[in-house]
Amino acid sequence: MRKDTFNQKSVYIHMDNVINNVVTSGITFCDFMQGVTLPPENILLIKHHIKDSSYNTHTAFDFLEASDLQQLKTHQGLQLGEFCWIDFEDIDLVNQLSPQEVAEMLYLAHTGRHLRSPFYYKLQNNFVYLTKKDGRYNKTYYRNMNHFYAVLGFVVAKKTAAILNEKTFLSLNKRKYVKSPSMDLLKRFSAYFKEGACIAFAAAEKTRTQIRIPVGAQLDEDIMELEHTGEEIAYSKIVADLVYDLKKNEWTCLEK
């Protein structure tokens, strides 16, 4: 692991509601951990570069417990690189996994595709988190998709706050708080997320009364390209604006 700054402003989302996975770019593990409403208690590390972890002899996988995760999630800017994990409730349940299930997890981390359901009864897992370059191209399975919208709401608030608190010559030191948009508001974009969409913070406009963030659809390339290039993906159509009212501290959506 190395500490580095993740500077990507915009967030890309491609959602598959049939198998409950979401491909994202612009959302890191720290964002996930701080935004999700039901954080994992323990995670089984299928692929990783974390030195301080425990070892499970039954599966030959390393794992992190709650105290380890609490420390890890506070390291903003930490680049985890290749990082694939599955959460679990209790280590005794991990020791009940069959060789077939361990093999399925290895295949899942290696290919990014599941052979059977990625939600294991023995583990009682809520998530499967897969990335070769954390924050740049992540694929996450959610047992409950509301957890994704909670993470997205956190990230929208965080990135909007970064815009609001950008230093200027006349700016004061006091940082201003931005609340998260509601799940209901974000779910209005679900149809666009299924096709691939961009919340374009890089194109946001700030005035004295509001911050306006375009939501772009009809991406020119597949989001997978973000794994191999540092370039932003262009979009052909702006379908809406997310608007944060600075006086009322409220979010609204203006559809085109």
Side-chain angles (χ1 to χ4, degrees):
M1 295 185 299
R2 67 184 188 279
K3 196 163 187 178
D4 195 8
T5 303
F6 187 80
N7 289 320
Q8 181 175 320
K9 289 185 176 180
S10 296
V11 174
Y12 297 86
I13 301 156
H14 192 184
M15 178 185 294
D16 188 335
N17 286 93
V18 176
I19 51 177
N20 277 24
N21 74 50
V22 187
V23 171
T24 60
S25 181
I27 299 177
T28 66
F29 172 73
C30 289
D31 293 331
F32 170 87
M33 288 296 296
Q34 294 186 44
V36 71
T37 48
L38 184 65
E41 296 181 14
N42 315 280
I43 63 175
L44 199 60
L45 298 166
I46 313 302
K47 284 188 177 182
H48 72 104
H49 302 285
I50 297 173
K51 294 181 180 179
D52 299 324
S53 57
S54 302
Y55 181 73
N56 176 253
T57 56
H58 177 72
T59 60
F61 290 142
D62 294 327
F63 65 95
L64 296 176
E65 298 177 289
S67 58
D68 304 314
L69 290 171
Q70 185 63 31
Q71 292 180 343
L72 193 61
K73 80 174 188 179
T74 60
H75 289 274
Q76 288 291 346
L78 194 65
Q79 293 295 299
L80 294 166
E82 190 172 39
F83 190 46
C84 302
W85 56 263
I86 300 174
D87 65 299
F88 64 93
E89 285 191 352
D90 189 273
I91 195 66
D92 289 337
L93 299 174
V94 174
N95 292 331
Q96 296 177 26
L97 290 172
S98 68
Q100 175 65 29
E101 289 168 325
V102 172
E104 288 175 11
M105 293 176 188
L106 288 168
Y107 180 85
L108 185 59
H110 182 65
T111 67
R113 299 186 298 272
H114 58 282
L115 289 171
R116 294 191 297 177
S117 171
F119 300 106
Y120 294 88
Y121 174 77
K122 292 175 185 176
L123 299 183
Q124 292 294 298
N125 64 304
N126 291 304
F127 313 104
V128 178
Y129 190 98
L130 309 170
T131 180
K132 294 180 180 178
K133 189 175 182 181
D134 186 51
R136 189 60 179 168
Y137 180 85
N138 295 12
K139 184 176 185 179
T140 308
Y141 291 82
Y142 293 86
R143 186 183 292 271
N144 184 335
M145 291 299 289
N146 281 342
H147 293 314
F148 163 70
Y149 285 105
V151 172
L152 182 59
F154 170 83
V155 171
V156 168
K158 172 188 169 183
K159 289 181 177 286
T160 303
I163 296 170
L164 179 61
N165 293 298
E166 284 176 342
K167 292 183 179 180
T168 64
F169 179 73
L170 298 175
S171 65
L172 301 176
N173 291 327
K174 185 177 180 181
R175 295 183 63 82
K176 296 180 180 178
Y177 167 79
V178 174
K179 75 173 186 178
S180 298
S182 69
M183 285 190 189
D184 288 340
L185 187 148
L186 294 174
K187 286 179 179 180
R188 291 170 63 176
F189 302 110
S190 60
Y192 299 111
F193 293 159
K194 291 175 185 177
E195 300 298 325
C198 172
I199 302 180
F201 292 96
E205 297 180 358
K206 179 175 68 172
T207 68
R208 296 181 65 180
T209 59
Q210 66 179 22
I211 296 177
R212 185 181 292 249
I213 306 156
V215 178
Q218 299 176 11
L219 302 182
D220 290 354
E221 297 178 272
D222 190 281
I223 294 178
M224 187 177 291
E225 294 298 319
L226 290 165
E227 188 176 1
H228 309 292
T229 178
E231 299 296 324
E232 299 273 333
I233 293 177
Y235 45 86
S236 302
K237 182 180 180 181
I238 296 176
V239 295
D241 286 326
L242 277 171
V243 181
Y244 188 67
D245 188 304
L246 300 179
K247 293 183 178 180
K248 297 180 180 178
N249 295 323
E250 291 180 354
W251 285 96
T252 55
C253 170
L254 300 177
E255 299 189 45
K256 301 294 185 178

